[in-house]
Amino acid sequence: MFGQGKRLVCGLVCEMEHRVAALRSQLADLGQEHVLAGLESGDGSQRESLVEQLSGIDLPLFRRALADVVRTFKGKQDRLPIPPKPFPQAKWEGLQNWISSPDDVPTGNDDTAGWWSEGLRLVADGEVAVLVLAGGQGTRLGPGAPVAKGMLELSVPEPKSLFQLQAERLLLVEDLASFVTGTEIKRRIPWLVMTSDATDSATRAFFEEKAFFGLDKSQVWFLKQSSLPCVDLNEGHAMLMETPWKVAMAPAGNGALFSDLRAAGFIKKLSSQGIKYVQVYAVDNALARVADPVFYGFVHEHQAEVGVKVVSKKNAKESVGVVCLHQEGNSAEKSERYGVIEYSEMPQSMTTAKDDSGELQFRAAHICINMFSVQYLEKLTDSDYQLEFHPAVKRIPHMRENSGTWESVNPEKPNGIKLEQFIFDSFQCCDSEKVALLEVNREEEFAPIKNAVGPGVADSAATATELLLALKRRVNSLPPKAGTLSKGFSLLKAYAGGATQDITSDLVNLSVE
């Protein structure tokens, strides 16, 4: 018996030594062997934890990400940005007309009512899904902020989390589609919730605690965002250590969702369920129209592979990224691809340039509400369509070894890099004719929450609450409809007004008149 135990221990030790040797070889090839220094100290569980973490890092992907960042710092070939092609605007008045006469739907280039009706048909037929980017932490939102941004509560007027508000909008769209199409069995819209290492367990527990906000548990699919090591700014870009036995990691950016969807098997699952379109949005937009029928119908009518919602810039100086076209190639073989250019990359002449109507040429602000066909998602998982990694230069606290002693480093200025992919880089993989831009009203669909509440501070929970309540007041001021349209109009008002309690409470147990 003692001999068997001894052989088992020896076997485990040999296995660990083999794993460490393999890692040492891979890391040395990357110039990152220093991350194994923690194996010289600590207890057995700490050393094993380091080996487990390192074994789980996609080192070939890390190599590619680091190569992309090095090229960025060395400078890359300039691409000429030009204004996007003309794009239509969604108009709330069109929905009022639709609810007044749902059987008489006009057509046209900016036919909001037609898109709305077509979108509801897609919902009723089970051809749509939604994905929320919910990996962000609430650390920038001040003391008392929740672990995950989606758990943040707004008083509208009673406290509701962002997750709850968004779940209610999803439920309203399901009800609207069933009512308008006369479908007896209400279709459940899959809601993919993308978390991160920092928010995954808290988010899952929150959904369980809240009984999934009235949604069917099976329609909520959790997906954890992949992460990559953080590196320092010095030449060689060494991995930073959070502790002697833990590499400092960060999410690989919202553009990583495509490879993460593939790895989780969700693209195949969406396809097998007959899903054609997936709306993707950021959790910290309090006015995001979740499962927006207008957006679904718009993209479907234009037979687009990528849909992009934009709002007009407030002014030329607003610090937002704008959608543009990039011209590539020589004059004989010139191509145009959609992308987003950051405000910091735009020269003054481009920032202030105006078109013949007096509007800014580069006014289409990207608000991170996009649509992808499932067919295009399948294409983006192909090795020929790998998105580039970008450097996010940040202050990254870490530990470093100095003559055998580990010391903490709390930098006062940016000292490291997080390796990130951007979701809008996926636009450039698509033929420009298959990308469709739709302008929406900022006051109706864009209320970002990025900062802690404070006097004069923009994009906070306070400013988002104000925008949400103001929209609700405007929508509630519309006179009620009578007869057979009353329920449909009430549902529409609830959805467009933000799904706040004083509207939705009137919708309980309503039946079609």
Side-chain angles (χ1 to χ4, degrees), residues 235-290:
E235 185 176 356
H237 303 299
M239 291 184 192
L240 296 174
M241 302 299 294
E242 183 176 326
T243 74
W245 310 282
K246 186 177 182 181
V247 177
M249 304 285 287
N254 53 27
L257 77 91
F258 306 110
S259 56
D260 291 338
L261 282 170
R262 177 194 60 199
F266 283 169
I267 295 178
K268 286 185 177 180
K269 186 175 180 180
L270 289 166
S271 181
S272 68
Q273 292 189 8
I275 305 296
K276 291 182 178 178
Y277 302 103
V278 181
Q279 178 195 359
V280 180
Y281 71 97
V283 73
D284 58 4
N285 179 0
L287 286 178
R289 288 191 171 165
V290 182

Side-chain angles (χ1 to χ4, degrees), residues 140-185:
R140 290 177 55 188
L141 305 183
V147 174
K149 274 189 176 182
M151 297 161 58
L152 180 71
E153 290 187 339
L154 304 181
S155 297
V156 286
E158 73 290 346
K160 286 189 177 184
S161 69
L162 290 171
F163 280 136
Q164 181 175 350
L165 287 169
Q166 292 161 17
E168 288 178 355
R169 291 167 200 165
L170 194 65
L171 287 165
L172 282 165
V173 171
E174 293 176 347
D175 286 340
L176 270 163
S178 178
F179 171 78
V180 170
T181 62
T183 306
E184 293 184 3
I185 301 176

Side-chain angles (χ1 to χ4, degrees), residues 130-134 253-255 257-258 278-285 287-289 295 307-311 320-323 340 364-372 421-425 427 438 440 445-446 448 450:
V130 176
L131 187 151
V132 57
L133 302 168
N254 53 27
L257 77 91
F258 306 110
V278 181
Q279 178 195 359
V280 180
Y281 71 97
V283 73
D284 58 4
N285 179 0
L287 286 178
R289 288 191 171 165
F295 201 19
V308 186
K309 278 192 180 185
V310 299
V311 299
V320 292
V322 294
V323 180
V340 171
H366 182 249
I367 58 174
C368 203
I369 302 179
N370 302 304
M371 187 84 70
F372 300 96
Q421 292 175 307
F422 298 155
I423 192 171
F424 51 70
D425 278 349
F427 305 168
L438 178 65
V440 296
E445 301 200 34
F446 189 48
K450 304 292 185 183

Side-chain angles (χ1 to χ4, degrees), residues 198-215:
T199 66
D200 185 69
S201 59
T203 299
R204 291 172 185 262
F206 190 68
F207 271 71
E208 290 283 353
E209 176 190 343
K210 302 298 182 180
F212 288 77
F213 311 104
L215 296 165

Side-chain angles (χ1 to χ4, degrees), residues 273-439:
Q273 292 189 8
I275 305 296
K276 291 182 178 178
Y277 302 103
V278 181
Q279 178 195 359
V280 180
Y281 71 97
V283 73
D284 58 4
N285 179 0
L287 286 178
R289 288 191 171 165
V290 182
D292 181 10
V294 170
F295 201 19
Y296 289 130
F298 168 75
V299 171
H300 184 68
E301 181 184 284
H302 287 76
Q303 297 184 327
E305 293 183 329
V306 176
V308 186
K309 278 192 180 185
V310 299
V311 299
S312 287
K313 289 180 65 174
K314 292 179 180 178
N315 52 61
K317 295 182 179 179
E318 185 180 9
S319 300
V320 292
V322 294
V323 180
C324 66
L325 279 165
H326 286 119
Q327 288 187 336
E328 299 177 324
N330 54 41
S331 57
E333 297 182 1
K334 187 176 292 183
S335 64
E336 295 177 347
R337 297 284 176 168
Y338 274 98
V340 171
I341 183 169
E342 297 294 342
Y343 64 90
S344 58
E345 300 174 350
M346 297 174 66
Q348 181 72 10
S349 58
M350 185 183 300
T351 301
T352 58
K354 294 186 177 181
D355 58 24
D356 294 339
S357 64
E359 291 187 313
L360 294 171
Q361 287 186 341
F362 294 91
R363 72 177 192 278
H366 182 249
I367 58 174
C368 203
I369 302 179
N370 302 304
M371 187 84 70
F372 300 96
S373 71
V374 171
Q375 186 176 9
Y376 189 61
L377 291 177
E378 292 172 339
K379 182 190 295 185
L380 284 172
T381 64
D382 191 286
S383 59
D384 292 336
Y385 294 91
Q386 292 178 335
L387 302 189
E388 182 181 2
F389 280 87
H390 301 265
V393 180
K394 305 284 186 178
R395 287 193 312 110
I396 304 176
H398 61 283
M399 295 188 73
R400 66 184 176 198
E401 185 188 22
N402 186 6
S403 301
T405 301
W406 288 87
E407 56 187 20
S408 297
V409 179
N410 292 299
E412 296 181 355
K413 60 182 182 180
N415 66 304
I417 302 168
K418 295 180 180 180
L419 307 169
E420 297 182 349
Q421 292 175 307
F422 298 155
I423 192 171
F424 51 70
D425 278 349
S426 65
F427 305 168
Q428 67 191 14
C429 301
C430 187
D431 187 300
S432 62
E433 298 300 322
K434 291 290 187 179
V435 178
L437 273 61
L438 178 65
E439 183 177 353

